[in-house]
Amino acid sequence: AAVLAVVAVVRGHWPALDTRRLRYAVIAGLLGVSLPNLASYTALAVVPTAVVGVIAALSPVFTYAFALGLGMERPSAARVAGVLAGLGGVLWVLWPGAAMRIDGAALIALIAPALLAAGNVYRSLAWPPGLAPIGAAALVLVGQAILVLPLAAACGVIAVPGMGAAASDLPLWATGAMTAAFYLG
């Protein structure tokens, strides 16, 4: 959030903070960042990591289904074939021959890609006019940090990396750097 905010300010893309943009940032952040992560972390407590990772690949399937259902897209043979190929790939990896038992608990993992898809559709429908992508990303992540950090601190589950290069801090710094690079890319 901090890196993207600095980049947005330097580029002159930090958005005006009006009601529409703030509402957009909160909803887009909840659907596209915080709630999918919460669903994934919850699923990881009961479902193998590999299953959660593979199920996450269903986000495009859900996005296309939601867009079709809302009339944002018309059925396309090529897109339907692509979605079915992706769905087939996920099912093939998760098939019982992959030595992973899938039961009702795996359904928890489906919440994350469904929320990501809802976020994709929401962003397409609610994008405020004149909002630059880097400004939107910065605003969404800053907003989610403001919402999530106090909750995480209150629950005692916040991890704050030190300024040194301790081995326990490196994954947190790497995750932050990769997230910033992802959004900047």
Side-chain angles (χ1 to χ4, degrees), residues 98-110:
M100 289 182 242
R101 187 172 160 274
I102 308 300
D103 57 18
L107 295 177
I108 296 169
L110 287 172

Side-chain angles (χ1 to χ4, degrees), residues 13-118:
H13 294 289
W14 183 258
L17 300 179
D18 58 28
T19 304
R20 182 174 183 181
R21 286 186 173 96
L22 291 173
R23 180 178 55 243
Y24 167 82
V26 169
I27 294 170
L30 286 170
L31 291 173
V33 180
S34 296
L35 294 177
N37 281 325
L38 178 62
S40 292
Y41 299 147
T42 301
L44 286 169
V46 294
V47 179
T49 304
V51 172
V52 173
V54 171
I55 287 175
L58 291 174
S59 178
V61 172
F62 287 128
T63 300
Y64 188 59
F66 292 168
L68 282 173
L70 292 171
M72 297 171 62
E73 293 275 342
R74 290 185 301 171
S76 157
R79 289 182 180 170
V80 169
V83 165
L84 291 175
L87 181 59
V90 168
L91 293 174
W92 180 67
V93 170
L94 294 178
W95 198 253
M100 289 182 242
R101 187 172 160 274
I102 308 300
D103 57 18
L107 295 177
I108 296 169
L110 287 172
I111 295 169
L115 285 166
L116 288 169

Side-chain angles (χ1 to χ4, degrees), residues 48 60 69 73 82 94 96 98-99 128-129 135 143 148 157-158 176 181:
E73 293 275 342
L94 294 178
V148 171
V157 294
I158 191 167

